[in-house]
Amino acid sequence: MGGLVSSLAFPVPKLPQSFYHDLLKRRDLVWLETKKGERIPALHIQAPLRRRRNVTLLFSHGNAEDIALHLPFVTALAHRTGADVFSYEYVGYGPSRFKDCVPSERGCYRAIDAAWDYLLSKGVEPSSIVIYGRSIGTGPSVDLASRVEAKGLILQSPIDSAIRCALGYGSSLALRPIDIFVNHEKMAKVSCCVFIMHGTDDDVVPLRCGRALQKLAPRSVDPAWI
């Protein structure tokens, strides 16, 4: 049953290897290695010098997309905000899919840990890193933020857990042993400021998920219900 939840949670884009040709030639592409030796790509997109701030957004993408598919979004994010954007790939997604890597909850945690460690190794201060997760990417984002001291946490269309999102609160109690990305159990440990934005008509991740996490965050700022 747990395997079924994981298989439904990770609809990996099935794109041909040739789709990533241009991505793999980018000068801002780096390769990370997880604690289990899995190799995953990441992009370190720098903001324009004229607008650059001393902030790095550590971005975790949503479901059914990968590092190449969301490239226009993270590029615009760097240009609009003036922050550098470090966008990493999940184990089993994107180019790592061709290296016999299988996506999983634990794999997502290993991936974001590798991204965080890389930034620190390059001299990026934790106090300048804002962790930013979208949709299922809020799972690894909340997990990391509950364990480190960061500048802030941004959650876009967050899930409170995979089963709570799909089936509601009652089902999550009975199915807790197989639930994944249980953000509602970790929010109390997040010490940085938390900003949540969520669409009021979201038919994939219900607004109730964002509202629930906003109430649980010890240092929540005013949310944006759009």
Side-chain angles (χ1 to χ4, degrees), residues 35-65:
K35 292 179 180 178
K36 281 200 170 184
E38 300 132 328
R39 296 189 73 235
I40 52 174
L43 291 171
H44 200 169
I45 302 172
Q46 295 189 342
L49 287 177
R50 67 183 184 279
R51 301 190 62 187
R52 200 169 184 186
R53 306 169 184 269
N54 185 31
V55 175
T56 297
L57 299 176
L58 175 51
F59 183 75
S60 300
H61 66 71
N63 220 347
E65 60 182 10

mmCIF file of all heavy atoms in Angstrom, residues 35-65:
data_model
loop_
_atom_site.group_PDB
_atom_site.id
_atom_site.type_symbol
_atom_site.label_atom_id
_atom_site.label_comp_id
_atom_site.label_asym_id
_atom_site.label_seq_id
_atom_site.Cartn_x
_atom_site.Cartn_y
_atom_site.Cartn_z
ATOM 1 N N LYS A 35 23.691 11.495 -0.268
ATOM 2 C CA LYS A 35 24.411 10.641 0.678
ATOM 3 C C LYS A 35 24.398 9.172 0.273
ATOM 4 O O LYS A 35 25.166 8.373 0.796
ATOM 5 C CB LYS A 35 23.800 10.810 2.078
ATOM 6 C CG LYS A 35 24.054 12.194 2.660
ATOM 7 C CD LYS A 35 23.435 12.367 4.031
ATOM 8 C CE LYS A 35 23.713 13.756 4.581
ATOM 9 N NZ LYS A 35 23.088 13.980 5.912
ATOM 10 N N LYS A 36 23.523 8.822 -0.660
ATOM 11 C CA LYS A 36 23.505 7.461 -1.195
ATOM 12 C C LYS A 36 24.220 7.349 -2.540
ATOM 13 O O LYS A 36 24.163 6.314 -3.191
ATOM 14 C CB LYS A 36 22.066 6.962 -1.331
ATOM 15 C CG LYS A 36 21.456 6.488 -0.027
ATOM 16 C CD LYS A 36 20.258 5.584 -0.274
ATOM 17 C CE LYS A 36 19.802 4.903 1.007
ATOM 18 N NZ LYS A 36 18.703 3.947 0.772
ATOM 19 N N GLY A 37 24.895 8.405 -2.940
ATOM 20 C CA GLY A 37 25.670 8.375 -4.174
ATOM 21 C C GLY A 37 24.886 8.655 -5.442
ATOM 22 O O GLY A 37 25.433 8.529 -6.543
ATOM 23 N N GLU A 38 23.613 9.056 -5.304
ATOM 24 C CA GLU A 38 22.828 9.380 -6.492
ATOM 25 C C GLU A 38 23.273 10.742 -7.034
ATOM 26 O O GLU A 38 23.458 11.682 -6.275
ATOM 27 C CB GLU A 38 21.338 9.440 -6.144
ATOM 28 C CG GLU A 38 20.787 8.123 -5.600
ATOM 29 C CD GLU A 38 19.970 8.295 -4.329
ATOM 30 O OE1 GLU A 38 20.292 9.215 -3.546
ATOM 31 O OE2 GLU A 38 19.028 7.518 -4.127
ATOM 32 N N ARG A 39 23.412 10.852 -8.351
ATOM 33 C CA ARG A 39 23.824 12.108 -8.989
ATOM 34 C C ARG A 39 22.602 12.805 -9.570
ATOM 35 O O ARG A 39 21.845 12.214 -10.332
ATOM 36 C CB ARG A 39 24.878 11.853 -10.076
ATOM 37 C CG ARG A 39 26.166 11.286 -9.541
ATOM 38 C CD ARG A 39 27.242 11.251 -10.613
ATOM 39 N NE ARG A 39 27.747 12.590 -10.910
ATOM 40 C CZ ARG A 39 27.773 13.142 -12.128
ATOM 41 N NH1 ARG A 39 27.271 12.487 -13.153
ATOM 42 N NH2 ARG A 39 28.267 14.351 -12.318
ATOM 43 N N ILE A 40 22.430 14.054 -9.166
ATOM 44 C CA ILE A 40 21.284 14.841 -9.617
ATOM 45 C C ILE A 40 21.771 16.206 -10.108
ATOM 46 O O ILE A 40 22.700 16.784 -9.557
ATOM 47 C CB ILE A 40 20.246 15.033 -8.490
ATOM 48 C CG1 ILE A 40 20.916 15.593 -7.221
ATOM 49 C CG2 ILE A 40 19.524 13.718 -8.185
ATOM 50 C CD1 ILE A 40 19.947 15.946 -6.119
ATOM 51 N N PRO A 41 21.139 16.736 -11.153
ATOM 52 C CA PRO A 41 21.536 18.052 -11.655
ATOM 53 C C PRO A 41 20.880 19.189 -10.864
ATOM 54 O O PRO A 41 19.845 19.003 -10.224
ATOM 55 C CB PRO A 41 21.027 18.035 -13.098
ATOM 56 C CG PRO A 41 19.803 17.170 -13.032
ATOM 57 C CD PRO A 41 20.099 16.121 -11.994
ATOM 58 N N ALA A 42 21.490 20.338 -10.934
ATOM 59 C CA ALA A 42 20.935 21.545 -10.324
ATOM 60 C C ALA A 42 21.377 22.741 -11.149
ATOM 61 O O ALA A 42 22.395 22.695 -11.849
ATOM 62 C CB ALA A 42 21.398 21.687 -8.883
ATOM 63 N N LEU A 43 20.607 23.810 -11.083
ATOM 64 C CA LEU A 43 20.950 25.050 -11.759
ATOM 65 C C LEU A 43 21.126 26.156 -10.737
ATOM 66 O O LEU A 43 20.280 26.333 -9.852
ATOM 67 C CB LEU A 43 19.844 25.445 -12.743
ATOM 68 C CG LEU A 43 19.680 24.556 -13.983
ATOM 69 C CD1 LEU A 43 18.416 24.946 -14.738
ATOM 70 C CD2 LEU A 43 20.898 24.668 -14.891
ATOM 71 N N HIS A 44 22.229 26.881 -10.848
ATOM 72 C CA HIS A 44 22.481 28.029 -9.962
ATOM 73 C C HIS A 44 22.326 29.287 -10.802
ATOM 74 O O HIS A 44 23.279 29.768 -11.404
ATOM 75 C CB HIS A 44 23.866 27.939 -9.354
ATOM 76 C CG HIS A 44 24.018 28.768 -8.128
ATOM 77 N ND1 HIS A 44 25.099 28.677 -7.285
ATOM 78 C CD2 HIS A 44 23.211 29.705 -7.567
ATOM 79 C CE1 HIS A 44 24.959 29.523 -6.286
ATOM 80 N NE2 HIS A 44 23.826 30.161 -6.442
ATOM 81 N N ILE A 45 21.109 29.807 -10.859
ATOM 82 C CA ILE A 45 20.781 30.942 -11.706
ATOM 83 C C ILE A 45 21.009 32.233 -10.940
ATOM 84 O O ILE A 45 20.424 32.443 -9.869
ATOM 85 C CB ILE A 45 19.319 30.857 -12.191
ATOM 86 C CG1 ILE A 45 19.105 29.546 -12.952
ATOM 87 C CG2 ILE A 45 18.967 32.055 -13.056
ATOM 88 C CD1 ILE A 45 17.660 29.275 -13.298
ATOM 89 N N GLN A 46 21.866 33.075 -11.464
ATOM 90 C CA GLN A 46 22.183 34.326 -10.785
ATOM 91 C C GLN A 46 21.296 35.459 -11.280
ATOM 92 O O GLN A 46 20.991 35.562 -12.469
ATOM 93 C CB GLN A 46 23.656 34.672 -10.980
ATOM 94 C CG GLN A 46 24.596 33.657 -10.331
ATOM 95 C CD GLN A 46 26.029 34.123 -10.337
ATOM 96 O OE1 GLN A 46 26.399 35.013 -11.092
ATOM 97 N NE2 GLN A 46 26.841 33.534 -9.485
ATOM 98 N N ALA A 47 20.908 36.287 -10.360
ATOM 99 C CA ALA A 47 20.092 37.452 -10.697
ATOM 100 C C ALA A 47 20.938 38.488 -11.429
ATOM 101 O O ALA A 47 22.165 38.511 -11.289
ATOM 102 C CB ALA A 47 19.509 38.050 -9.416
ATOM 103 N N PRO A 48 20.313 39.351 -12.224
ATOM 104 C CA PRO A 48 21.060 40.438 -12.888
ATOM 105 C C PRO A 48 21.794 41.294 -11.866
ATOM 106 O O PRO A 48 21.255 41.605 -10.804
ATOM 107 C CB PRO A 48 19.961 41.236 -13.599
ATOM 108 C CG PRO A 48 18.836 40.262 -13.772
ATOM 109 C CD PRO A 48 18.882 39.365 -12.571
ATOM 110 N N LEU A 49 23.006 41.676 -12.156
ATOM 111 C CA LEU A 49 23.831 42.414 -11.198
ATOM 112 C C LEU A 49 23.164 43.694 -10.727
ATOM 113 O O LEU A 49 23.277 44.075 -9.560
ATOM 114 C CB LEU A 49 25.198 42.735 -11.825
ATOM 115 C CG LEU A 49 26.167 41.555 -11.970
ATOM 116 C CD1 LEU A 49 27.438 41.999 -12.669
ATOM 117 C CD2 LEU A 49 26.500 40.973 -10.589
ATOM 118 N N ARG A 50 22.433 44.362 -11.617
ATOM 119 C CA ARG A 50 21.844 45.655 -11.247
ATOM 120 C C ARG A 50 20.727 45.516 -10.222
ATOM 121 O O ARG A 50 20.352 46.475 -9.568
ATOM 122 C CB ARG A 50 21.317 46.365 -12.497
ATOM 123 C CG ARG A 50 20.136 45.679 -13.151
ATOM 124 C CD ARG A 50 19.695 46.392 -14.435
ATOM 125 N NE ARG A 50 18.518 45.796 -15.015
ATOM 126 C CZ ARG A 50 18.515 44.716 -15.765
ATOM 127 N NH1 ARG A 50 19.664 44.089 -16.012
ATOM 128 N NH2 ARG A 50 17.396 44.247 -16.267
ATOM 129 N N ARG A 51 20.182 44.301 -10.097
ATOM 130 C CA ARG A 51 19.073 44.086 -9.166
ATOM 131 C C ARG A 51 19.428 43.085 -8.071
ATOM 132 O O ARG A 51 18.588 42.750 -7.250
ATOM 133 C CB ARG A 51 17.849 43.567 -9.924
ATOM 134 C CG ARG A 51 17.352 44.472 -11.021
ATOM 135 C CD ARG A 51 16.015 44.000 -11.533
ATOM 136 N NE ARG A 51 15.007 44.026 -10.473
ATOM 137 C CZ ARG A 51 13.785 43.538 -10.603
ATOM 138 N NH1 ARG A 51 13.428 42.958 -11.729
ATOM 139 N NH2 ARG A 51 12.923 43.612 -9.607
ATOM 140 N N ARG A 52 20.643 42.616 -8.044
ATOM 141 C CA ARG A 52 21.001 41.478 -7.204
ATOM 142 C C ARG A 52 20.957 41.805 -5.713
ATOM 143 O O ARG A 52 21.456 42.829 -5.254
ATOM 144 C CB ARG A 52 22.401 40.990 -7.578
ATOM 145 C CG ARG A 52 22.698 39.577 -7.144
ATOM 146 C CD ARG A 52 23.973 39.097 -7.781
ATOM 147 N NE ARG A 52 24.235 37.708 -7.452
ATOM 148 C CZ ARG A 52 25.357 37.075 -7.787
ATOM 149 N NH1 ARG A 52 26.291 37.715 -8.457
ATOM 150 N NH2 ARG A 52 25.526 35.822 -7.454
ATOM 151 N N ARG A 53 20.316 40.906 -4.982
ATOM 152 C CA ARG A 53 20.247 41.008 -3.526
ATOM 153 C C ARG A 53 21.089 39.888 -2.917
ATOM 154 O O ARG A 53 21.447 38.938 -3.585
ATOM 155 C CB ARG A 53 18.799 40.859 -3.046
ATOM 156 C CG ARG A 53 17.804 41.808 -3.704
ATOM 157 C CD ARG A 53 16.399 41.405 -3.370
ATOM 158 N NE ARG A 53 15.414 42.227 -4.055
ATOM 159 C CZ ARG A 53 14.885 43.335 -3.557
ATOM 160 N NH1 ARG A 53 15.243 43.745 -2.356
ATOM 161 N NH2 ARG A 53 13.994 44.026 -4.236
ATOM 162 N N ASN A 54 21.360 40.026 -1.645
ATOM 163 C CA ASN A 54 22.118 38.974 -0.953
ATOM 164 C C ASN A 54 21.166 37.893 -0.457
ATOM 165 O O ASN A 54 21.060 37.620 0.735
ATOM 166 C CB ASN A 54 22.912 39.571 0.210
ATOM 167 C CG ASN A 54 23.798 38.530 0.879
ATOM 168 O OD1 ASN A 54 24.269 37.597 0.237
ATOM 169 N ND2 ASN A 54 24.012 38.671 2.179
ATOM 170 N N VAL A 55 20.439 37.299 -1.398
ATOM 171 C CA VAL A 55 19.457 36.269 -1.073
ATOM 172 C C VAL A 55 19.549 35.159 -2.115
ATOM 173 O O VAL A 55 19.694 35.431 -3.311
ATOM 174 C CB VAL A 55 18.006 36.830 -1.055
ATOM 175 C CG1 VAL A 55 16.999 35.707 -0.846
ATOM 176 C CG2 VAL A 55 17.856 37.890 0.015
ATOM 177 N N THR A 56 19.448 33.926 -1.653
ATOM 178 C CA THR A 56 19.383 32.782 -2.563
ATOM 179 C C THR A 56 18.113 32.005 -2.267
ATOM 180 O O THR A 56 17.844 31.640 -1.119
ATOM 181 C CB THR A 56 20.597 31.846 -2.389
ATOM 182 O OG1 THR A 56 21.796 32.549 -2.729
ATOM 183 C CG2 THR A 56 20.471 30.619 -3.287
ATOM 184 N N LEU A 57 17.314 31.767 -3.290
ATOM 185 C CA LEU A 57 16.114 30.950 -3.166
ATOM 186 C C LEU A 57 16.470 29.508 -3.490
ATOM 187 O O LEU A 57 16.949 29.215 -4.593
ATOM 188 C CB LEU A 57 15.023 31.442 -4.123
ATOM 189 C CG LEU A 57 14.516 32.871 -3.930
ATOM 190 C CD1 LEU A 57 13.511 33.222 -5.020
ATOM 191 C CD2 LEU A 57 13.879 33.036 -2.556
ATOM 192 N N LEU A 58 16.262 28.625 -2.540
ATOM 193 C CA LEU A 58 16.477 27.187 -2.759
ATOM 194 C C LEU A 58 15.130 26.606 -3.166
ATOM 195 O O LEU A 58 14.244 26.412 -2.339
ATOM 196 C CB LEU A 58 17.005 26.537 -1.483
ATOM 197 C CG LEU A 58 17.166 25.006 -1.493
ATOM 198 C CD1 LEU A 58 17.956 24.531 -2.694
ATOM 199 C CD2 LEU A 58 17.818 24.544 -0.186
ATOM 200 N N PHE A 59 14.978 26.339 -4.469
ATOM 201 C CA PHE A 59 13.674 26.038 -5.034
ATOM 202 C C PHE A 59 13.437 24.543 -5.223
ATOM 203 O O PHE A 59 14.255 23.841 -5.818
ATOM 204 C CB PHE A 59 13.511 26.747 -6.366
ATOM 205 C CG PHE A 59 12.156 26.552 -6.996
ATOM 206 C CD1 PHE A 59 11.051 27.224 -6.488
ATOM 207 C CD2 PHE A 59 11.988 25.703 -8.066
ATOM 208 C CE1 PHE A 59 9.791 27.054 -7.056
ATOM 209 C CE2 PHE A 59 10.740 25.523 -8.646
ATOM 210 C CZ PHE A 59 9.636 26.191 -8.138
ATOM 211 N N SER A 60 12.275 24.069 -4.746
ATOM 212 C CA SER A 60 11.828 22.684 -4.926
ATOM 213 C C SER A 60 10.574 22.706 -5.798
ATOM 214 O O SER A 60 9.553 23.272 -5.402
ATOM 215 C CB SER A 60 11.514 22.031 -3.574
ATOM 216 O OG SER A 60 12.649 22.018 -2.739
ATOM 217 N N HIS A 61 10.654 22.085 -6.968
ATOM 218 C CA HIS A 61 9.564 22.201 -7.939
ATOM 219 C C HIS A 61 8.350 21.348 -7.595
ATOM 220 O O HIS A 61 8.392 20.482 -6.715
ATOM 221 C CB HIS A 61 10.071 21.884 -9.351
ATOM 222 C CG HIS A 61 10.511 20.460 -9.575
ATOM 223 N ND1 HIS A 61 9.637 19.397 -9.634
ATOM 224 C CD2 HIS A 61 11.749 19.935 -9.799
ATOM 225 C CE1 HIS A 61 10.306 18.282 -9.887
ATOM 226 N NE2 HIS A 61 11.584 18.580 -9.978
ATOM 227 N N GLY A 62 7.272 21.588 -8.320
ATOM 228 C CA GLY A 62 6.028 20.874 -8.106
ATOM 229 C C GLY A 62 6.015 19.518 -8.777
ATOM 230 O O GLY A 62 7.003 19.072 -9.373
ATOM 231 N N ASN A 63 4.865 18.871 -8.696
ATOM 232 C CA ASN A 63 4.721 17.534 -9.241
ATOM 233 C C ASN A 63 4.514 17.584 -10.747
ATOM 234 O O ASN A 63 4.119 18.597 -11.310
ATOM 235 C CB ASN A 63 3.534 16.823 -8.588
ATOM 236 C CG ASN A 63 3.841 15.374 -8.309
ATOM 237 O OD1 ASN A 63 4.827 14.825 -8.812
ATOM 238 N ND2 ASN A 63 3.004 14.740 -7.517
ATOM 239 N N ALA A 64 4.782 16.463 -11.412
ATOM 240 C CA ALA A 64 4.593 16.327 -12.863
ATOM 241 C C ALA A 64 5.406 17.354 -13.651
ATOM 242 O O ALA A 64 5.035 17.753 -14.754
ATOM 243 C CB ALA A 64 3.117 16.422 -13.220
ATOM 244 N N GLU A 65 6.513 17.827 -13.082
ATOM 245 C CA GLU A 65 7.439 18.696 -13.803
ATOM 246 C C GLU A 65 8.849 18.324 -13.370
ATOM 247 O O GLU A 65 9.034 17.507 -12.455
ATOM 248 C CB GLU A 65 7.151 20.178 -13.521
ATOM 249 C CG GLU A 65 7.251 20.584 -12.065
ATOM 250 C CD GLU A 65 6.894 22.063 -11.852
ATOM 251 O OE1 GLU A 65 6.399 22.707 -12.791
ATOM 252 O OE2 GLU A 65 7.131 22.572 -10.747
#
